[in-house]
Amino acid sequence: MTGSLQQAPGPFFGDFGGRFVPEALMAALDELTDAYDKARIDPPFTQELDRLAREYTGRPSIVTEVPRFARHAGGATVYLKREDLNHTGSHKINNVLGQALLTKRIGKSRVIAETGAGQHGVATATAAALMDLECVIYMGEEDTERQALNVARMRLLGAEVVPVTTGTRTLRDAINEAFRDWVANVETTNYVFGTAAGPHPFPAMVRDFQRIISVEARAQMLALGGLPDAVLACVGGGSNAIGSFDAFLDDDGVRLIGCEAAGDGVETDRHAATLTGGRAGVLHGSRSYILQDAEGQTLPSHSISAGLDYPGVGPQHSWLAEIGRAEYWPVTDAEAMEAFRLLSRTEGILPAIETAHALAGALRLGQELGPDATILVTLSGRGDKDVEQAARWFDMLPGQDA
Amino acid sequence: MSALSDRFDAIEAEGRAALVCYLPVGFPDVETSIRAMQAMVEAGADIVEIGPPYSDPVLDGPVIQLAVAQALERGVRMADTFAAVRAVREAGAEPVVMSYFNPMLQHGLDAFARDVQQAGGSGVITPDLTPDAGADWVDAARAVDLDTIFLVAPSTTRERMHLTAEASRGFVYATPLMGVTGERAQVGDAAERVVAEVREAGAERVCVGVGVSTREHAAQIARFADGVIVGTALVRALGEAPDPESGIAAVRERVTQLAAGVREGR
């Protein structure tokens, strides 16, 4: 491999990626690709996106050192990149503002989106309110139950939330339903895809919109004394992870570690660790690793975290795993919840359960590397939406006295 | 020329359009689905579209989604699709497989083409694979002389019409409406426009599907298309019946009506 790995343009990342969709969507995807290729180098677009990042999202997000937490990570130095402090509470807003601006630019008046944990749905509903777009969010019925607070947030923001009752009633089925809507309404509607997966241009475009995480973090780490030994992020579809990795891809000394949801354990059939337990195939428009049976039927995934409960992963992660530039570690529900508890109690920061998987990875890595190591973890979202679920896990709800 | 081309020539000589009928394999069970396909042939289907179920059917509406989910729950396998192809061939119609891409990919594209062809299949329709993404598949199908059938939609650009017409063998599958499979009250003028555009781009045979359910629709489309494709209405007929026998009877009745429709159009 020669040259820079940063900002790989797609449609293919090695053998992964591409565009495997019904013909009905090809014209819209071509239009979107073309519009994005022009917008990304057009000063009025990039300046407006920068302004929104600054004045609406609240960027740059800060980096916080967490020494009390780090004592449990082999005494390593641990920093958190605080995407949880963004408006709407996660990294999702970075991507959504870009895609919503692009929607206006191509003259469409309606946006649709899928959501798992609800973070992408909330961010999309927010951007739609800001930019006066009609907004419909597809969300698996099981997820509407475990993330009821986010359903209410989306509705308060003026979006219509459609619970998806087919299949496994989770993120994957929400994506299927959003694709069906798009096929029927492509003339008026843009699909604001939530993660760095799906057909081209989404993997590259979403990565570019999330890249600001690593661009800021890299400069912040240099200002703090040097590049970290490793960058960790949780991986469901993988948008916060790819955004956290991109600016570090050419820094050979920086290990990049994506933490996948191992649910009850990768040795069981209840997990969502696609790169650990899956193999290559085509799902939701691109070639990547997927959890599937011998005949190519997608397997149900499981994770305590709705945002990671997805049997696919973005194609650039499959490629980075294949070429050995990034590592992907499975983290169980129990490990993630222990890290959730630890960060809450040692630092007064409630992470999203998704993010807690990356924190668990940091604990493991710190114990492996010891006190000389510097570890950067992307704190992709805040845990407010997870309070009820976490309280139930720890038997803290009234009437649940242990 | 391919088996499908020969069949279209014969149908055209009769002064009518072809009737193309879809059912998923394994709904409500494998045996009933195969018997229903044979009944469709007896009632006048010229081409049977055989659908191996897939877990994530993004181009299908609720009726077919539920049917294939039930088939998968009951453990339908790709081998059952090849059995259905053999049964349809023996019944005397042209068997065409309509499959989402990942099950084909996991079977192995060369092996999939060979197995469809050896079971007696004439071609494969790929709803989520376009010619530009499907070069490997086209090579595999050509190697065993299997027809490759791609789709066009109202949103298809002129350039893509050419691409699709060029890569398709047997026929081009035109969807007159934007949207997933399902019945519609009106089929509309868009169908005629899409058919004309893809013909202009070089397609020899064009069949129209998505939204077709009645004898009147069939007659209307038969005026300007080489074939009329019906799916959801048949799946519904099979699914709403209280037992397999009456389901098969309902499918037979529906296909008889549609077969009359394709003979009334011209």
Side-chain angles (χ1 to χ4, degrees):
Chain A
M1 191 65 57
T2 55
S4 174
L5 294 178
Q6 292 182 57
Q7 292 181 283
F12 282 95
F13 308 90
D15 286 337
F16 302 104
R19 192 189 273 173
F20 300 89
V21 297
E23 169 62 27
L25 297 178
M26 289 301 275
L29 288 166
D30 279 338
E31 179 191 26
L32 200 58
T33 305
D34 186 51
Y36 176 61
D37 284 345
K38 289 181 178 131
R40 65 197 291 269
I41 50 168
D42 184 27
F45 181 85
T46 57
Q47 284 163 11
E48 177 63 1
L49 196 56
D50 288 348
R51 186 190 69 78
L52 287 168
R54 212 168 46 242
E55 297 174 11
Y56 193 70
T57 306
R59 303 206 71 92
S61 66
I62 59 173
V63 164
T64 302
E65 189 183 351
V66 284
R68 277 174 35 80
F69 176 80
R71 276 186 223 152
H72 302 266
T77 303
V78 179
Y79 292 100
L80 305 180
K81 176 64 175 163
R82 300 292 303 279
E83 294 300 303
D84 61 318
L85 297 179
N86 293 340
H87 178 47
T88 74
S90 80
H91 68 290
K92 294 293 189 185
I93 193 78
N94 302 328
N95 168 43
V96 153
L97 289 173
Q99 290 199 50
L101 271 184
L102 206 55
T103 303
K104 299 293 272 190
R105 211 173 146 99
I106 58 180
K108 290 184 175 177
S109 57
R110 177 174 179 265
V111 289
I112 54 172
E114 83 294 343
T115 198
Q119 294 300 83
H120 176 60
V122 167
T124 305
T126 300
L130 178 70
M131 298 188 202
D132 190 23
L133 296 161
E134 185 189 341
C135 179
V136 177
I137 305 293
Y138 291 95
M139 187 169 185
E141 193 178 43
E142 182 179 327
D143 294 337
T144 62
E145 287 157 13
R146 47 183 173 177
Q147 298 291 348
L149 184 67
N150 269 344
V151 174
R153 286 171 80 193
M154 290 183 267
R155 288 181 173 148
L156 288 169
L157 289 160
E160 181 189 346
V161 180
V162 180
V164 177
T165 57
T166 52
T168 54
R169 303 185 301 131
T170 60
L171 177 56
R172 154 192 162 201
D173 307 285
I175 294 176
N176 289 340
E177 209 52 37
F179 270 118
R180 291 183 187 114
D181 180 312
W182 205 23
V183 169
N185 300 299
V186 68
E187 252 177 69
T188 59
T189 299
N190 190 29
Y191 186 0
V192 176
F193 204 71
T195 192
H200 182 67
F202 291 116
M205 179 170 71
V206 174
R207 190 261 338 273
D208 288 351
F209 289 140
Q210 293 295 0
R211 185 173 187 270
I212 194 164
I213 301 171
S214 55
V215 169
E216 286 176 5
R218 191 173 182 281
Q220 287 164 322
M221 292 306 292
L222 287 172
L224 284 164
L227 292 175
D229 296 298
V231 176
L232 289 94
C234 62
V235 177
S239 71
N240 101 78
I242 204 70
S244 301
F245 293 171
D246 199 67
F248 292 103
L249 280 175
D250 299 329
D251 298 318
D252 291 339
V254 179
R255 282 170 74 180
L256 304 173
I257 300 169
C259 297
E260 300 192 293
D264 292 349
V266 286
E267 70 288 356
T268 72
D269 60 3
R270 282 171 55 78
H271 67 83
T274 310
L275 286 161
T276 306
R279 46 174 226 287
V282 167
L283 174 67
H284 294 147
S286 60
R287 187 169 184 279
S288 191
Y289 271 63
I290 52 183
L291 297 178
Q292 57 181 325
D293 72 11
E295 296 214 326
Q297 307 293 344
T298 313
L299 292 170
S301 55
H302 164 78
S303 169
I304 188 172
S305 126
L308 304 185
D309 194 352
Y310 180 58
V313 67
Q316 196 174 357
H317 288 296
S318 291
W319 178 57
L320 291 174
E322 193 176 77
I323 64 174
R325 180 61 190 96
E327 304 157 55
Y328 295 88
W329 292 4
V331 172
T332 63
D333 287 355
E335 290 174 284
M337 293 311 293
E338 178 53 23
F340 179 101
R341 190 192 64 81
L342 202 59
L343 188 74
S344 304
R345 298 216 172 172
T346 56
E347 301 287 348
I349 298 170
L350 288 181
I353 295 177
E354 288 77 14
T355 310
H357 289 72
L359 294 165
L363 293 172
R364 209 189 294 169
L365 181 69
Q367 285 154 18
E368 179 190 313
L369 297 182
D372 293 338
T374 301
I375 298 172
L376 174 68
V377 183
T378 296
L379 199 76
S380 57
R382 67 177 86 129
D384 303 36
K385 70 185 173 57
D386 296 318
V387 164
E388 190 188 333
Q389 199 181 8
R392 194 179 307 118
W393 175 275
F394 294 115
D395 292 332
M396 290 172 177
L397 290 177
Q400 241 191 333
D401 300 327
Chain B
M1 292 312 268
S2 69
L4 282 173
S5 301
D6 293 346
R7 180 66 68 116
F8 276 109
D9 286 344
I11 290 164
E12 194 168 271
E14 293 175 27
R16 65 176 179 93
L19 178 61
V20 184
C21 296
Y22 163 90
L23 279 180
V25 181
F27 176 74
D29 57 74
V30 172
E31 191 203 333
T32 305
S33 66
I34 292 179
R35 287 181 52 217
M37 290 177 196
Q38 291 170 318
M40 297 195 307
V41 179
E42 289 159 17
D46 302 293
I47 298 170
V48 176
E49 257 185 42
I50 298 156
Y54 175 52
S55 53
D56 295 81
V58 294
L59 205 58
D60 283 305
V63 172
I64 294 176
Q65 279 177 50
L66 283 173
V68 300
Q70 187 179 326
L72 286 170
E73 263 168 44
R74 294 190 175 186
V76 67
R77 304 294 300 264
M78 189 58 91
D80 300 316
T81 291
F82 303 132
V85 170
R86 277 189 291 276
V88 167
R89 170 59 69 194
E90 280 163 20
E94 296 296 331
V96 168
V97 174
M98 178 155 182
S99 181
Y100 286 93
F101 188 50
N102 198 47
M104 295 167 58
L105 195 61
Q106 300 306 323
H107 194 84
L109 296 181
D110 290 329
F112 186 78
R114 188 195 61 225
D115 288 346
V116 172
Q117 193 268 343
Q118 285 182 357
S122 309
V124 177
I125 303 168
T126 48
D128 63 346
L129 185 72
T130 54
D132 34 351
D136 291 350
W137 163 243
V138 171
D139 289 346
R142 293 282 182 277
V144 295
D145 214 15
L146 199 62
D147 284 343
T148 49
I149 297 144
F150 293 102
L151 279 68
V152 291
S155 61
T156 302
T157 59
R158 185 206 280 256
E159 188 189 355
R160 296 194 58 82
M161 289 278 183
H162 279 277
L163 178 78
T164 309
E166 171 65 25
S168 296
R169 295 276 190 285
F171 63 92
V172 173
Y173 189 131
T175 58
L177 298 162
M178 293 305 290
V180 296
T181 56
E183 297 153 277
R184 309 287 201 284
Q186 300 286 323
V187 181
D189 299 336
E192 200 162 355
R193 179 179 64 79
V194 174
V195 170
E197 283 175 5
V198 72
R199 281 229 174 92
E200 199 171 305
E204 269 187 58
R205 312 286 185 184
V206 187
C207 298
V208 170
V210 181
V212 183
S213 60
T214 66
R215 177 174 178 164
E216 291 69 34
H217 286 158
Q220 185 193 340
I221 290 167
R223 280 193 295 106
F224 58 85
D226 298 289
V228 178
I229 304 171
V230 188
T232 299
L234 303 172
V235 179
R236 184 194 295 282
L238 196 55
E240 282 178 351
D243 58 77
E245 291 313 317
S246 46
I248 292 169
V251 167
R252 189 188 300 273
E253 168 57 22
R254 192 50 94 103
V255 174
T256 302
Q257 291 294 317
L258 292 159
V262 298
R263 285 164 173 81
E264 288 164 356
R266 299 185 192 164

